[in-house]
Amino acid sequence: MTKLFGSRSASAAGTSDNDYELGPTKAQAQAQASGREVDGRDDDPLAPGLVESNSSTTGRAKGASQSPSQWGDPALAGDYDSRPRDADGNPLVDDEAAMEKQDEEDSPYPEVRAAVRNYDEDAPCNTIRAWTIGLVLVVAGASMNTFFSLRSPSIGISPLVAQIIAWPIGHGWSKIMPSRRFNTFGLSWSLNPGPFNRKEHTIIVVMASVSFSVAYATDIILAQMVFYKQDFGFAFQLLLTVSTQSLGYGIAGILRKFLVYPASMIWPGILVSVTLMNAMYDRNDRPDPTIIGGKMPRYKWFGLVTLGAFIYYWIPGYLARCLSVFAFVTWIAPNNVVVNQLFGGSTGLSLLPITFDWTQITGFIGSPLIPPWEAIANTLIGVVVFFLFGCSLLHYTGVWYSEYLPMSDSGTYDNTGKPYNTTRILTKDMTLNEEAYNNYSPLFISTTFAMSYGLSFAAISSLIVYTYLHNGKQIWQQYKNSAKEKPDIHMRLMSKYKEAPSWWYWGLFAIVLALGFVSVLAYPTKMTWWAFLLSVGISFVFSVPIGIIQAVTNHQIGLNVMTEFIYGYLQPGRPLALMIFKTFGYITMSRALSFVADLKFGHYMKIPPRTLFWAQVISTTVSCVVQILVLNVALNTVDGVCTPDQPDRFTCPGARVFFAASVIWGLLGPARMFSPGQIYSGLFAFFALGAVVPLVIYFGAKRWPRSPFGFLMAPLIFGGPSSIPPATPLNYLSWGTVGLTFQYWIRKRHFNWWSRLNFLTSSGLDLGLALATLVIFFALSMHKLEPPKWWGNEVVKTTLDFKGKSVQTYVPDGQTFGPSSW
């Protein structure tokens, strides 16, 4: 599998993670981009995921960044330049002169030369200013994203917002704060060490990057407390969250010499991040007066967009909620099952996808103004082919007894069509009671839910085949190079900084591993010590090969389905243990590679490794505490939280999917769901489909090089729709429409506007929406001030789609459907 749209819920995606498919959450896509030779006279910023080509290009970089900075806006720092200056104010380092050094003084890889400066700046980064701004943003971002992760659709504040906000705060600080120096315990420091510089900015972005994503473990806690009615207390929650979020640091430090130091480990997504960060401090501006806002100062535009989004959201979010899911066809026939299944936006296929609500567009997938248009188009192909056509065909032909089930939701059902009552098959110690299960019912899921499983299987095999076909030789060659190549210019420049000792990482790994043992063995999780070590071992072993693939191709193969398979067959009947095993086996590897990516980001930006280490570790720990506190406060103060009819949409969609996964893979186990003879055994055919489609596309592109085959990516087609359910086609189709408008049409016709303002627009819309939602909830909803009762707020509640009752056939009392034995 590949991480297509970023990390869970806080990324640009801000999404709920569809647990069975591609890496967590939640927004940002892979796309091809060609590298560009730098001739020393072109400082123009490169657009995310798209690098202008040149005839001298010899390398290629893959895609859209999964990393902290996702902003391709040119220079914002009109009066600021962090380069060292002489007494007359002239730069000591000239950009053009530095970039005209001989080839041996630069990276051997053209895509790196196109993005990363081959010199270092003598600028401070371990400053009170950077730490203060960074930690304030960590607390704000982690708390907001945790709170909004309970909402459907979720709202995510991405590190991109932190990067944009940090710029004026940092420069405002440098103008206001006194420059007096202090001495504390022999250390000299100042509140104002000089102009705010890109190294301080990088530290802040890294702190946001490691802390804004909502911890995977929070879904374990929600599934326990809300659905299994099990509460081990705050200490367990904190131990589990800190250990699952931080264990990857030890692995990251151990893998530095394989994945960070070699020049051949490029990390294409990080090249985009480096370019975007540098672009904020370069002096290139290309106004476009032919389009609205084209000549407006960037931060004025950002402020206006934020204010506009804040004001506008009151309409679909409070005053006229019919604009959020504008499924007007269902209003005309509110009790027609087929109409609600085909046109419904909540539990239907949304054949007329209309919404005027930014949360519906971005809530599960992330901002459509981030991924390249090719990634958006491939994702839409997957939605149309497999969900609009495939699910319609399967549902109306009665496959999987679909006539008794909803078309699209993330619930689990028994053979009477009612929600699956897990308490009937649980023992007192939260394991499977097989006799009760055999006397109760097999488990059924909606058509789109079953399809999502099939696509997750196809995504695994398709990415393996795709990576072999397109990047196999490159990966092998660069792996061989990494073992024998000499240090490049960037490694030599970094040699002047003290390296973070290996024992720091080993020590941190040992401490966090011990915390993990305590969380698993000191509480009745039903997880054995050897299973815990096995999950950590899986992460450790797979981090190197998967990291090499990601460092070269920007694709990350996820381990969530594999870990579910392994534990589901090893020890079925233990739902909590399954959730913990999957989290340690998958997220530890994913987090480790995320930390490695940040280390490479710091390597390219010339950040002292020791400063980077403490910035990552402290920010992650602070965010874990903040997330657990916010989660418990929300569960205790939000009325009806995690119930399907919660009036402010705090229905916990991600936790519902996670709970369903624990039942399917943990409580029942894959043998009872997918093995030959079981109801959903046919889904295994998707493994073969995933292996064949990349071959067809690959040879089709070779046979017809000018055909659309060249734009197709099988992993994106299968894995792009990874959030359905709980997302619906409405979310994806509206996201794709807006995305193609900005990323293809506006980018092509108004490139200067796009390069200046596109990502600011995205961040402004996200921030304004989040602020409006907070005000509406805390100022109105918590004080029982309900939205006005009028047709525009009431009509949506009359439909079968909204009620979740779009089912063709209801089972008469006393009867069942499905197999007679299981």
Side-chain angles (χ1 to χ4, degrees):
M1 296 181 294
T2 178
K3 182 184 284 186
L4 298 174
F5 295 111
S7 61
R8 191 189 179 295
S9 105
S11 62
T15 66
S16 280
D17 177 27
N18 186 329
D19 194 57
Y20 318 111
E21 305 182 0
L22 302 186
T25 152
K26 315 80 151 251
Q28 300 168 2
Q30 315 290 352
Q32 293 182 349
S34 56
R36 178 168 67 105
E37 291 274 329
V38 174
D39 62 7
R41 304 187 182 278
D42 188 353
D43 252 351
D44 293 342
L46 307 180
L50 293 168
V51 185
E52 296 180 21
S53 61
N54 183 289
S55 59
S56 61
T57 298
T58 58
R60 295 195 337 169
K62 298 280 181 183
S65 172
Q66 313 168 21
S67 55
S69 48
Q70 294 258 338
W71 186 35
D73 192 23
L76 294 173
D79 297 328
Y80 293 92
D81 187 346
S82 59
R83 289 177 292 175
R85 296 179 178 274
D86 59 21
D88 298 324
N90 299 314
L92 293 176
V93 179
D94 182 76
D95 286 353
E96 292 190 4
M99 295 300 287
E100 288 175 347
K101 291 183 178 181
Q102 296 179 354
D103 287 344
E104 61 265 27
E105 292 299 323
D106 211 333
S107 171
Y109 297 94
E111 51 265 61
V112 178
R113 296 199 297 270
V116 185
R117 299 169 184 272
N118 60 344
Y119 61 91
D120 187 14
E121 295 176 340
D122 187 13
C125 63
N126 191 20
T127 64
I128 294 294
R129 177 169 59 202
W131 279 97
T132 302
I133 297 173
L135 288 176
V136 168
L137 292 177
V138 164
V139 173
S143 57
M144 291 176 70
N145 283 334
T146 303
F147 182 69
F148 286 138
S149 71
L150 305 178
R151 188 180 183 275
S152 178
S154 60
I155 300 171
I157 304 299
S158 75
L160 171 60
V161 175
Q163 181 177 355
I164 293 172
I165 292 176
W167 195 92
I169 295 175
H171 288 300
W173 181 305
S174 68
K175 288 185 176 182
I176 295 172
M177 289 293 183
S179 57
R180 176 186 171 187
R181 300 201 66 81
F182 301 89
N183 284 289
T184 305
F185 301 113
L187 297 175
S188 177
W189 59 277
S190 172
L191 289 174
N192 191 350
F196 186 61
N197 62 77
R198 73 186 77 200
K199 289 195 175 186
E200 289 178 293
H201 205 159
T202 299
I203 287 293
I204 294 170
V205 170
V206 169
M207 294 171 76
S209 170
V210 301
S211 60
F212 275 28
S213 59
V214 181
Y216 215 59
T218 58
D219 277 337
I220 299 178
I221 296 166
L222 284 170
Q224 264 193 296
M225 297 178 67
V226 176
F227 301 109
Y228 286 115
K229 307 303 180 184
Q230 200 180 43
D231 186 0
F232 291 166
F234 183 85
F236 168 76
Q237 297 170 10
L238 190 59
L239 283 170
L240 182 66
T241 305
V242 170
S243 57
T244 55
Q245 288 292 95
S246 301
L247 191 59
Y249 278 121
I251 299 175
I254 296 165
L255 298 182
R256 285 176 297 172
K257 64 179 181 179
F258 301 107
L259 299 176
V260 177
Y261 300 157
S264 56
M265 297 295 105
I266 292 173
W267 293 88
I270 300 305
L271 297 180
V272 177
S273 300
V274 172
T275 299
L276 303 182
M277 178 61 77
N278 287 333
M280 296 183 71
Y281 291 84
D282 292 337
R283 297 185 177 185
N284 295 287
D285 193 8
R286 298 179 180 179
D288 184 354
T290 64
I291 189 171
I292 184 171
K295 295 186 68 174
M296 189 180 296
R298 294 176 180 84
Y299 272 93
K300 181 179 180 181
W301 174 265
F302 174 70
L304 289 176
V305 171
T306 302
L307 178 62
F310 174 84
I311 296 172
Y312 173 78
Y313 181 68
W314 285 76
I315 301 174
Y318 190 76
L319 300 175
R321 291 185 170 179
C322 64
L323 298 177
S324 182
V325 179
F326 200 75
F328 67 91
V329 179
T330 64
W331 309 342
I332 299 171
N335 296 313
N336 187 298
V337 173
V338 175
V339 167
N340 279 263
Q341 286 180 338
L342 294 179
F343 295 94
S346 299
T347 59
L349 296 183
S350 308
L351 294 187
L352 289 176
I354 304 175
T355 179
F356 301 92
D357 186 348
W358 189 244
T359 60
Q360 295 292 344
I361 296 171
T362 65
F364 292 104
I365 318 131
S367 174
L369 278 63
I370 299 292
W373 74 265
E374 297 96 332
I376 296 171
N378 276 274
T379 300
L380 290 181
I381 290 172
V383 173
V384 171
V385 171
F386 293 105
F387 287 98
L388 298 193
F389 289 103
C391 285
S392 296
L393 178 64
L394 293 170
H395 192 84
Y396 292 116
T397 54
V399 177
W400 303 316
Y401 306 97
S402 55
E403 65 268 29
Y404 301 100
L405 302 166
M407 173 78 82
S408 179
D409 74 359
S410 54
T412 54
Y413 298 90
D414 62 19
N415 56 12
T416 67
K418 296 178 181 178
Y420 201 87
N421 187 354
T422 55
T423 59
R424 289 185 58 174
I425 61 173
L426 281 171
T427 63
K428 292 182 179 180
D429 61 355
M430 303 302 287
T431 57
L432 178 67
N433 184 329
E434 293 195 36
E435 182 179 357
Y437 168 70
N438 292 330
N439 292 329
Y440 175 36
S441 169
L443 184 141
F444 299 89
I445 54 180
S446 70
T447 306
T448 62
F449 207 169
M451 179 64 74
S452 74
Y453 273 115
L455 293 180
S456 72
F457 301 154
I460 298 172
S461 55
S462 70
L463 184 62
I464 294 172
V465 175
Y466 177 89
T467 302
Y468 174 77
L469 292 174
H470 291 269
N471 303 101
K473 292 181 180 178
Q474 181 188 11
I475 292 170
W476 177 245
Q477 186 59 46
Q478 291 186 214
Y479 169 73
K480 291 193 298 182
N481 290 345
S482 67
K484 60 184 180 182
E485 65 186 1
K486 296 179 179 179
D488 69 344
I489 181 64
H490 304 294
M491 190 66 197
R492 295 200 300 274
L493 288 171
M494 286 295 292
S495 64
K496 75 176 185 179
Y497 300 111
K498 288 184 178 180
E499 185 58 80
S502 294
W503 70 264
W504 285 12
Y505 288 100
W506 280 108
L508 180 63
F509 181 80
I511 292 171
V512 177
L513 187 68
L515 295 179
F517 262 117
V518 172
S519 66
V520 167
L521 300 180
Y523 297 88
T525 64
K526 300 302 175 183
M527 189 175 185
T528 59
W529 64 269
W530 60 264
F532 172 69
L533 289 180
L534 176 62
S535 65
V536 175
I538 289 172
S539 284
F540 210 126
V541 170
F542 280 93
S543 289
V544 173
I546 293 176
I548 292 172
I549 291 173
Q550 186 176 354
V552 176
T553 71
N554 216 37
H555 295 290
Q556 184 184 112
I557 301 174
L559 299 176
N560 48 345
V561 172
M562 189 184 82
T563 52
E564 288 171 327
F565 259 110
I566 291 173
Y567 194 77
Y569 277 108
L570 281 178
Q571 292 188 317
R574 306 184 184 195
L576 177 57
L578 179 280
M579 292 188 288
I580 295 175
F581 184 92
K582 177 180 64 175
T583 302
F584 277 108
Y586 163 45
I587 286 300
T588 299
M589 181 277 297
S590 181
R591 293 286 291 176
L593 296 185
S594 176
F595 299 148
V596 168
D598 283 333
L599 291 176
K600 193 70 176 186
F601 184 40
H603 187 84
Y604 284 145
M605 295 299 296
K606 312 303 180 291
I607 305 298
R610 297 189 176 200
T611 302
L612 194 62
F613 173 88
W614 289 114
Q616 288 182 305
V617 172
I618 292 174
S619 299
T620 300
T621 306
V622 169
S623 73
C624 289
V625 176
V626 169
Q627 290 184 42
I628 296 303
L629 288 173
V630 170
L631 189 68
N632 281 276
V633 170
L635 290 175
N636 292 321
T637 58
V638 178
D639 292 337
V641 65
C642 295
T643 58
D645 55 354
Q646 207 284 329
D648 295 296
R649 306 181 190 175
F650 287 93
T651 59
C652 306
R656 289 183 177 278
V657 174
F658 208 88
F659 164 71
S662 72
V663 175
I664 293 167
W665 296 95
L667 185 58
L668 301 182
R672 294 184 175 91
M673 292 292 298
F674 304 109
S675 291
Q678 301 302 319
I679 297 172
Y680 297 99
S681 60
L683 291 174
F684 273 3
F686 276 84
F687 278 113
L689 180 66
V692 170
V693 170
L695 292 169
V696 173
I697 294 174
Y698 180 77
F699 290 109
K702 282 187 170 296
R703 177 65 178 84
W704 299 285
R706 297 182 181 275
S707 70
F709 277 108
F711 293 99
L712 298 180
M713 291 181 64
L716 269 175
I717 294 173
F718 293 122
S722 61
S723 292
I724 300 177
T728 68
L730 169 69
N731 305 120
Y732 273 91
L733 296 172
S734 58
W735 170 85
T737 301
V738 174
L740 291 176
T741 300
F742 277 86
Q743 298 297 79
Y744 182 78
W745 187 77
I746 291 180
R747 186 185 186 280
K748 184 176 181 180
R749 299 174 70 97
H750 302 281
F751 180 78
N752 290 338
W753 182 96
W754 182 89
S755 64
R756 294 180 74 243
L757 301 177
N758 181 70
F759 298 98
L760 280 175
T761 302
S762 174
S763 298
L765 290 170
D766 290 345
L767 182 58
L769 167 64
L771 294 175
T773 304
L774 284 174
V775 171
I776 291 173
F777 179 77
F778 287 106
L780 302 178
S781 298
M782 288 195 69
H783 295 86
K784 309 301 181 183
L785 298 176
E786 297 183 356
K789 293 186 180 298
W790 71 290
W791 178 87
N793 278 335
E794 300 299 323
V795 67
V796 295
K797 300 177 182 179
T798 66
T799 66
L800 293 176
D801 172 55
F802 179 85
K803 298 174 183 178
K805 296 182 178 180
S806 298
V807 178
Q808 291 164 271
T809 304
Y810 282 93
V811 182
D813 291 340
Q815 297 185 25
T816 61
F817 68 90
S820 57
S821 60
W822 50 90

